[in-house]
Amino acid sequence: MLFIVSEVELRPVPTDVEAHSEAEPRITIERAGGVKCDRCWRYVPSVSDDPAWAGLCERCQGALAEPIHG
């Protein structure tokens, strides 16, 4: 895993910045959009409104729906 964040967006260099060998990469950090899953705390576009899965993202719903082996 390269980043431990909700979302990463790579953008091209703005046209007003000269591209030369000494140019430094730019990093911008912004608050994540969306809503926070009650289980995993990831910020996602939406969570479930279904009472059985209320507040859970799709990934958590899938994880909890899988039968336990062992």
Side-chain angles (χ1 to χ4, degrees), residues 3 8 11 13-14 19 31 34 36 48-49 52 59 63 66 68 70:
F3 299 100
V8 173
R11 299 179 187 166
V13 176
R31 182 170 295 277
K36 185 165 74 170
S48 178
D49 291 332
R59 184 175 78 171
E66 291 182 14
I68 298 174

Side-chain angles (χ1 to χ4, degrees), residues 1-69:
M1 194 178 258
L2 183 58
F3 299 100
I4 302 176
V5 296
S6 296
E7 182 178 4
V8 173
E9 183 177 325
L10 301 175
R11 299 179 187 166
V13 176
T15 56
D16 62 336
V17 176
E18 286 187 34
H20 52 58
S21 61
E22 297 175 12
E24 295 291 322
R26 293 183 185 187
I27 299 173
T28 302
I29 300 170
E30 299 173 352
R31 182 170 295 277
V35 293
K36 185 165 74 170
C37 173
D38 291 343
R39 180 175 179 263
C40 69
W41 294 9
R42 288 185 318 135
Y43 282 86
V44 293
S46 65
V47 293
S48 178
D49 291 332
D50 181 336
W53 304 107
L56 300 183
C57 68
E58 288 183 13
R59 184 175 78 171
C60 287
Q61 291 175 50
L64 294 173
E66 291 182 14
I68 298 174
H69 300 286

